[in-house]
Amino acid sequence: MTQRIWKAALVCAVLAMGSLSLSAQQVRQDNNDDDLAPTGKGWGERQVHSQANKARPRANNGISYHGGPIMSATKNVYYIWYGNWSNNSATTILTDFANSIGGSPYFNINTTYNNGGSTVVSNSVAYKGSTTDNYTYGTSLSDSQIQSVVANAISSGRVTKDTNAVYFVLTSSDVTASSGFCTQYCGWHTHATISGSDIKFSFVGNPDRCPSACEAQTTSPNGNAGADGMASIIAHELEEAATDPDLNAWYDNRGYENADKCAWTFGTQSTAGNGSKYNVTLGSRQYLIQQNWVNASGGYCAMSY
Ligand SMILES: [Zn+2]
């Protein structure tokens, strides 16, 4: 949803399921007639419908459009490496990932999402650059500090201000996010007005901090379980940001965005040379990334469209 994606998948299944279900259930009991809206952290919050927007959304494929913008143009990706990433192959693995996800059969799933009309989310992603942040706010970041990490990178000119972008704050394993990394979510996405523009951004922590919560496997295709775990979370947040950048476009009546509906499901898997599992090859690398929700034919989780 919106906000934070919950890392969703696996994590949800392993760790967060109990509290997640309870929260959603409680919200529903409070008001059975309202839809839930995404929070970005993977569970719904009751949506306040404005009087001007009373039309009931259609949900033929198990997910519905709520009138907000989508990211139809190329999704530009910027990475902000927060903390200590020296001598960590994640910087190479995840840069390769951002350079190869666009145009793939996997990301093509997002082209099944439109703006209510004929404009669809394009299967186009461009990696545009990165910067670093050397512990400006220490090793426990609040949500507002994560937003400030993005704002500081933009205002200082270390990354370009870009309303067609998703900025990923990627934290090293000695850093946590105080609103619930490893216990409530593995990552999230949201948006905010930064330097006068609507900026989309995401937090993705290094799941080496909590492998049982946020990693699908501890031996991984690229020999770096933290980085490989982050690839799945980045995919999740990027496809949610593309179809629900302002948290008011595509989500279901539980408040689940497209990737939330398939979190921690991987479809058909193969075995890599080191014994780990993978389910997709992008560029020259194998990855194990979660499925995404196809908004067609009644709706289903898949690795390609
Ligand atoms: Zn999500």
Side-chain angles (χ1 to χ4, degrees), residues 1-2 4-8 40-42 187-189 236-237 240 257-260:
M1 324 199 141
T2 4
R4 311 145 164 231
I5 180 193
W6 286 80
K7 182 184 187 188
K41 285 178 175 163
W188 47 260
H189 77 99
H236 177 127
E237 304 300 340
E240 290 185 342
E257 296 170 309
N258 58 356
D260 292 325

Side-chain angles (χ1 to χ4, degrees), residues 77-99:
V77 169
Y78 296 86
Y79 285 159
I80 302 170
W81 298 97
Y82 185 97
N84 178 12
W85 289 97
S86 61
N87 301 313
N88 191 317
S89 60
T91 55
T92 301
I93 294 166
L94 296 178
T95 300
D96 289 349
F97 184 72
N99 273 315

Side-chain angles (χ1 to χ4, degrees), residues 156-296:
S156 66
R158 288 180 287 127
V159 292
T160 303
K161 188 175 81 169
D162 185 345
T163 57
N164 288 318
V166 182
Y167 298 85
F168 286 90
V169 176
L170 308 174
T171 55
S172 51
S173 60
D174 56 335
V175 175
T176 195
S178 57
S179 68
F181 178 51
C182 289
T183 59
Q184 301 293 313
Y185 56 78
C186 305
W188 47 260
H189 77 99
T190 191
H191 73 120
T193 299
I194 293 175
S195 298
S197 297
D198 183 43
I199 298 297
K200 279 67 75 176
F201 65 98
S202 169
F203 163 81
V204 178
N206 187 336
D208 276 347
R209 188 177 181 88
C210 49
S212 64
C214 295
E215 282 177 8
Q217 53 189 348
T218 52
T219 299
S220 71
N222 296 290
N224 183 331
D228 276 305
M230 291 171 81
S232 186
I233 303 165
I234 289 170
H236 177 127
E237 304 300 340
L238 182 61
E239 56 216 16
E240 290 185 342
T243 55
D244 196 28
D246 291 345
L247 312 184
N248 56 6
W250 284 96
Y251 55 89
D252 73 9
N253 58 11
R254 298 172 299 173
Y256 283 21
E257 296 170 309
N258 58 356
D260 292 325
K261 295 170 75 66
C262 305
W264 300 106
T265 71
F266 299 94
T268 302
Q269 300 171 39
S270 302
T271 302
N274 65 1
S276 64
K277 298 297 185 181
Y278 72 97
N279 62 357
V280 69
T281 299
L282 298 171
S284 62
R285 293 183 184 274
Q286 297 160 338
Y287 301 93
L288 183 66
I289 59 177
Q290 71 154 80
Q291 298 182 104
N292 191 14
W293 187 256
V294 177
N295 184 23

